[in-house]
Amino acid sequence: MAERLQADPSSLVRSVTSGFDEARVEKTLQLHLRNQRRKVVIRVAAGGALAIAASVIVAFAAWPTHEAAQGIAKRAVSPRSPERAIELADGSRFLPIGEAIVRVHEVGDARVRAELVSGAVDVEIVPRDGREVVVAAGRVTVRVLGTVFRVAREGDRTRVAVRRGRVEVRWNEEASVLESGGEGLYPPEPPSEAGAETDPPANETRVVPRGGWRALAEEGEYERAYDEIGRVGPGAVRDDVDELLLAADAARLSGHPREALPYLARAERLAGSDSRGASAAFTTGRILARLGRAAEAASAFERVLEGEPSGSLAESAIVRAVEAHESAGNRARAAILARRYVASFPDGRWVERMRSLAE
Amino acid sequence: MDFATIFRRYTPYVAQVATRILGRNDDIEDLVQEVFSEAHRGLDTLREPRAIRRWLATITVRRATRRLRRRRILHYVGMEPPIDTSTIVEAGTSPEIRAQLAAVYRVLDTISPEARIAWIMRTVEDEPLETVADVCGCSRATAHRRLQEAQAALSKAFRDG
């Protein structure tokens, strides 16, 4: 059976590639998140009967007063959206009401950090020693240690109602503690005139539906999100790095890469030295390269290297910059960067190719 | 690091290791989903961010081992699909290289899944023997023995293996 190979077996197997590019990774991630949400719904449904029975008992035995939560519940026009519930590994949950947008930015042993972008959310936190749970809502921050409460955006202010436990509400330089059954609207005083002047005009807020394109994009419905941005028009996307990156995703992943470029440029400018700036520049480079604008693509990839010379995107950015410079006919710069790759990543995946271009 | 960031950063690695172990990519997406579902559940238990890659490798190896064992059963009953290396190499790869790659996987199919994985992790992924033992859930000596088993099979099949 013995035969001679042109290369050793390990080199042959090393040539195997999974074919997972960034678009496929993104698609798989969205699918994964959708599946996870379905599992949460199934878990909620399975525990439904028990939960209803238990909640009735607990309502009478442990929560003598419910005025606070009921107060907000009366104002809420939409029911909870269990299919959009965010459940942490320890059982803590964020339950958006209706079309509310909730983002969980950080989940760790020391801290959980979430943001209520719009609408209202019920939060159920499982107590854990030494862990801080923070929910930001506009100008207000709610700090938690084991509790059940609701946070609702009401215009420029935020209403907090505690059903069980204790929370600390912070705004500007002030703070207040709400005990079980307590409710408050924060900041307590109406916003200052200066603050009111910075609010968008009433007609502008009316044309953007609650949840709107952001909720669609976060669900992976990029085409619908892109259409919604177009329908709403200027003002649909705020000058916020995360929001601009989300809008860029909606554009490029719905087949409109050119339209993603202005969002990415704004995000890169706003992010500054933040790692999201490098991410925006990298995506810009990829789009420009695909559009055949090689020189501009090379410039974008070089900005990644300037911003985060040893960041997670650095290796790919050098290779792509080299390829873009080659395509643009700038061989001298390509060779300089190829040498930089060989020096920085001597065991890198593209080292042989870069070595050949460096000479 | 949040879950989506971990997913985006490590999915190419998980998919690559799994494809190299299995020698095919027809259900790699499912395997990636399984790996990250398990990872999702245990995310809070991981205290050392630098251990994420190794942790994901361990889950990947475990899942891939199950698939290899299932394939061996299918092989015994003559139901295993034929090797098709065209989907796991770059489009421009020559027919000779593809044929030789298929020959390597044919040999790997004759040895135990554990030996195959030890060989891939050590000689293809360049992991130190300690890491190979760790992700395979065995001692260093056992990992070494499995590696020798794979090397012996490949050397027998290919004069320069």
Side-chain angles (χ1 to χ4, degrees):
Chain A
M1 177 178 177
E3 58 181 288
R4 185 173 290 275
L5 297 175
Q6 288 178 10
D8 71 278
S10 57
S11 296
L12 285 167
V13 176
R14 224 172 266 141
S15 70
V16 167
T17 169
S18 69
F20 261 73
D21 58 11
E22 285 177 48
R24 196 167 166 200
V25 169
E26 202 57 40
K27 192 178 153 197
T28 311
L29 171 61
Q30 297 307 329
L31 188 64
H32 178 83
L33 295 176
R34 219 167 286 157
N35 288 340
Q36 291 297 117
R37 279 194 288 270
R38 278 198 200 112
K39 283 179 190 166
V40 169
V41 174
I42 291 166
R43 268 205 301 275
V44 168
L50 278 176
I52 289 166
S55 65
V56 170
I57 294 165
V58 170
F60 284 100
W63 302 344
T65 172
H66 271 160
E67 289 83 357
Q70 283 165 355
I72 287 187
K74 281 175 194 161
R75 278 181 284 274
V77 293
S78 306
R80 285 176 172 186
S81 305
E83 73 281 1
R84 294 174 53 224
I86 301 165
E87 182 165 338
L88 309 186
D90 67 354
S92 297
R93 298 196 299 168
F94 294 83
L95 292 149
I97 312 293
E99 294 178 342
I101 298 180
V102 181
R103 290 182 184 148
V104 176
H105 294 293
E106 184 181 347
V107 177
D109 285 339
R111 196 153 85 128
V112 173
R113 194 165 57 86
E115 180 190 5
L116 173 64
V117 179
S118 66
V121 61
D122 281 342
V123 186
E124 299 173 3
I125 297 299
V126 175
R128 191 193 285 184
D129 284 345
R131 183 178 70 172
E132 179 188 57
V133 179
V134 178
V135 181
R139 294 182 293 161
V140 171
T141 304
V142 186
R143 293 152 62 89
V144 187
L145 194 63
T147 192
V148 178
F149 66 104
R150 180 173 287 185
V151 184
R153 299 289 295 270
E154 290 189 8
D156 194 41
R157 298 204 282 170
T158 298
R159 186 174 293 277
V160 182
V162 181
R163 203 159 60 182
R164 191 175 62 204
R166 211 163 84 112
V167 302
E168 182 190 61
V169 186
R170 284 178 177 272
W171 67 98
N172 301 334
E173 298 297 311
E174 297 177 69
S176 173
V177 173
L178 271 180
E179 302 281 351
S180 178
E183 177 187 344
L185 190 59
Y186 302 93
E189 296 301 318
S192 67
E193 284 184 14
E197 280 171 12
T198 60
D199 287 343
N203 63 343
E204 191 177 319
T205 55
R206 270 203 302 276
V207 294
V208 182
R210 279 191 307 151
W213 73 267
R214 298 171 197 89
L216 291 168
E218 281 167 353
E219 290 288 321
E221 301 275 353
Y222 298 115
E223 284 178 21
R224 289 179 58 204
Y226 177 77
D227 289 345
E228 184 64 16
I229 292 171
R231 193 186 68 75
V232 173
V237 183
R238 293 172 300 195
D239 263 346
D240 170 87
V241 177
D242 287 334
E243 188 157 320
L244 289 162
L245 292 174
L246 190 63
D249 282 349
R252 71 188 177 92
L253 297 172
S254 63
H256 306 88
R258 264 178 233 277
E259 283 71 14
L261 293 172
Y263 296 128
L264 291 166
R266 273 159 70 192
E268 191 181 338
R269 200 167 52 243
L270 282 174
S273 57
D274 184 329
S275 63
R276 292 173 300 174
S279 175
F282 189 82
T283 309
T284 301
R286 288 181 54 220
I287 292 172
L288 290 168
R290 281 185 197 163
L291 293 174
R293 292 156 64 176
E296 291 170 84
S299 167
F301 290 127
E302 292 223 27
R303 289 201 301 277
V304 178
L305 300 174
E306 284 164 22
E308 295 228 302
S310 54
S312 58
L313 294 171
E315 184 178 2
S316 290
I318 296 187
V319 174
R320 287 173 189 258
V322 169
E323 288 170 348
H325 278 304
E326 282 263 301
S327 299
N330 189 354
R331 298 232 165 122
R333 183 62 187 158
I336 290 169
L337 288 174
R339 282 195 287 276
R340 178 172 163 181
Y341 181 94
V342 173
S344 305
F345 304 99
D347 301 317
R349 186 177 165 189
W350 295 280
V351 72
E352 290 308 321
R353 177 163 157 66
M354 291 298 111
R355 197 167 278 137
S356 67
L357 291 170
E359 288 160 2
Chain B
M1 208 183 323
D2 65 18
F3 180 78
T5 306
I6 292 173
F7 194 102
R8 289 190 181 101
R9 186 170 296 175
Y10 293 103
T11 288
Y13 171 70
V14 167
Q16 177 181 284
V17 170
T19 308
R20 285 173 172 175
I21 289 173
L22 297 174
R24 58 203 326 149
N25 61 2
D26 40 7
D27 68 345
I28 287 299
E29 241 150 47
D30 287 346
L31 189 141
V32 168
Q33 296 278 359
E34 289 171 18
V35 168
F36 280 94
S37 287
E38 196 173 333
H40 209 153
R41 288 196 293 273
L43 193 61
D44 274 2
T45 64
L46 202 70
R47 294 177 185 281
E48 174 53 70
R50 279 174 298 183
I52 291 174
R53 188 172 180 270
R54 186 185 292 193
W55 179 52
L56 289 171
T58 305
I59 302 173
T60 307
V61 161
R62 199 161 51 227
R63 298 276 170 178
T65 306
R66 283 185 205 167
R67 277 168 165 73
L68 288 172
R69 285 180 184 150
R70 202 185 312 148
R71 261 168 48 183
R72 278 164 85 87
I73 294 168
L74 290 174
H75 175 74
Y76 292 140
V77 295
M79 289 174 63
E80 191 195 15
I83 294 171
D84 176 14
T85 54
S86 64
T87 59
I88 57 168
V89 290
E90 298 289 351
T93 306
S94 71
E96 292 77 20
I97 293 293
R98 284 185 197 180
Q100 296 202 346
L101 183 62
V104 170
Y105 275 109
R106 274 197 296 276
V107 174
L108 293 176
D109 281 345
T110 65
I111 61 176
S112 70
E114 291 79 8
R116 172 189 188 129
I117 287 171
W119 181 79
I120 299 267
M121 294 307 289
R122 179 73 189 96
T123 69
V124 180
E125 296 299 326
D126 291 326
E127 295 290 1
L129 197 59
E130 288 75 13
T131 306
V132 176
D134 191 28
V135 299
C136 294
C138 64
S139 68
R140 198 172 176 276
T142 302
H144 184 65
R145 184 173 45 74
R146 289 175 182 175
L147 192 57
Q148 282 184 320
E149 181 193 334
Q151 289 286 17
L154 288 161
S155 297
K156 189 178 168 194
F158 310 112
R159 277 194 289 270
D160 295 332

